[in-house]
Amino acid sequence: MSKTLLYGATKIDETNSAYAPAESLAQFQWKSRVFVVFADRDNSRAARQENHLLADRSALDERDLVVLKVSGVGVRPLFGATDGLDGVAIRRDLEAPEVGEFAAFLLGKDGTVKLKLSEPITDGELFAIIDSMPMRAAESLKPDK
């Protein structure tokens, strides 16, 4: 399985698109983390990813996570409130693979890509990655989280 963690960089090159906030998902910046699943042709890996994530909705809510599924050019919210999203723009901003290929991306609250996946990830693995992020650690210290 290919996993690329991007949040561990010590110096951010703002000219690198991997560290630029995704404009198409700007409505979530500083409010929510976003997990975007790009469906594969037969939808099997996307369905498996969906099942992993939606098994624990309270954990998604606790981590301020919005889950989106992009199939072709359409966008469907799987968890969390969304408004007026453009699948083509999301695909372009995240430099996602061709239509019909599976991929998943985790964006932090700062709007930048923190994780790229070419295979589904379990909810436990994803939550461990989120929980290891500095902003999430700070949130967990607040009494309301």
Side-chain angles (χ1 to χ4, degrees), residues 55-133:
D56 192 350
R57 292 174 183 266
S58 64
L60 296 174
D61 190 45
E62 179 183 328
R63 289 166 180 82
D64 300 325
L65 199 61
V66 170
V67 181
L68 306 173
K69 182 177 182 179
V70 178
S71 297
V73 297
V75 181
R76 185 169 61 102
L78 300 177
F79 185 82
T82 64
D83 188 33
L85 296 172
D86 178 354
V88 173
I90 293 170
R91 189 176 293 281
R92 179 195 64 236
D93 286 352
L94 297 180
E95 299 176 7
E98 298 287 321
V99 172
E101 297 297 318
F102 176 86
F105 293 77
L106 172 65
L107 283 74
K109 285 189 173 182
D110 63 357
T112 63
V113 174
K114 305 299 184 188
L115 177 67
K116 293 180 184 181
L117 299 163
S118 61
E119 291 293 327
I121 188 172
T122 67
D123 57 343
E125 290 174 307
L126 179 64
F127 297 154
I129 289 168
I130 292 171
D131 292 347
S132 72
M133 295 177 179

Side-chain angles (χ1 to χ4, degrees), residues 3 14 17 49 68 70 84 107 117 132 136 145:
K3 292 182 194 173
E14 293 179 6
S17 63
Q49 183 64 79
L68 306 173
V70 178
L107 283 74
L117 299 163
S132 72
R136 173 66 182 144
K145 283 284 179 185

Side-chain angles (χ1 to χ4, degrees), residues 1-51:
M1 173 178 6
S2 173
K3 292 182 194 173
T4 305
L5 288 173
L6 299 174
Y7 68 89
T10 56
K11 181 178 180 187
I12 295 176
D13 174 6
E14 293 179 6
T15 62
N16 182 341
S17 63
Y19 299 110
E23 290 180 34
S24 57
L25 298 169
Q27 65 181 284
F28 303 109
Q29 193 170 12
W30 304 117
K31 298 175 200 155
S32 302
R33 293 173 184 87
V34 181
F35 192 80
V36 182
V37 177
F38 291 91
D40 47 343
R41 285 191 201 333
D42 64 1
N43 204 31
S44 62
R45 290 183 288 176
R48 192 169 56 217
Q49 183 64 79
E50 196 174 322
N51 290 336

